[in-house]
Amino acid sequence: MKLVLLNPVLTAPEDAANMEAIRRLVKWFSPRESDRTPPAGIPPGPRSLGPDDLLLLPEHFIFTGDPRVYDAFVTEMAALAGCTVVGGSHHRKMNGRKINYGAVVRPDGTTIVEYSKLRPYFNEQSHVVPGDAFGEFK
């Protein structure tokens, strides 16, 4: 199993630019040779991921209030990478509460688990309430 943690330079609140920065990196790991484009500063070579691998996206890459944008993007990245993707958490309103929410999605688009940050810390506490969905999965 390979574990890949993406840490691109992101800008708040530039959703489109952030998603494109992530997409460029994820394309590098695509199992489809035609999708692979080496990002600047990374040497070429085989980097494909498989269904047993895990790719972690950064927190707060998206700032829109529309949860469909996050859901669609995480699903797109899982399909593009050909592996399970842990979407970094973002602020989402659920059941009248604003929480720090994330999802784990398989390459076929199936959501394995949804999770929420149980203990927001530092200044995040002034923006969200504690979640209640522990993100454990096999």
Side-chain angles (χ1 to χ4, degrees):
M1 172 196 248
K2 294 177 197 157
L3 174 64
V4 177
L5 171 61
L6 292 186
N7 192 21
V9 175
L10 302 177
T11 306
E14 299 294 326
D15 291 355
N18 290 344
M19 289 189 291
E20 188 52 36
I22 292 168
R23 190 178 284 114
R24 276 193 311 271
L25 290 173
V26 172
K27 280 183 178 181
W28 181 236
F29 294 101
S30 174
R32 295 182 301 265
E33 188 77 33
S34 62
D35 287 337
R36 278 193 220 142
T37 306
I42 296 180
R47 302 267 194 257
S48 68
L49 297 174
D52 294 332
D53 297 325
L54 194 60
L55 178 78
L56 284 69
L57 300 182
E59 274 194 315
H60 303 297
F61 64 84
I62 195 164
F63 296 88
T64 180
D66 185 350
R68 295 172 298 184
V69 176
Y70 172 91
D71 295 343
F73 186 74
V74 173
T75 300
E76 175 193 346
M77 293 304 97
L80 182 61
C83 69
T84 298
V85 169
V86 178
S89 62
H90 71 288
H91 296 172
R92 178 179 283 200
K93 287 186 180 176
M94 293 182 78
N95 302 323
R97 302 173 21 200
K98 191 175 186 183
I99 60 171
N100 209 346
Y101 167 94
V104 180
V105 179
R106 288 189 177 120
D108 67 3
T110 304
T111 298
I112 298 171
V113 69
E114 296 175 318
Y115 65 92
S116 54
K117 192 177 278 187
L118 302 176
R119 291 179 215 53
Y121 54 92
F122 193 52
N123 68 351
E124 193 172 44
Q125 294 174 358
S126 63
H127 301 287
V128 296
V129 298
D132 55 12
F134 191 67
E136 184 176 348
F137 66 96
K138 292 183 181 185

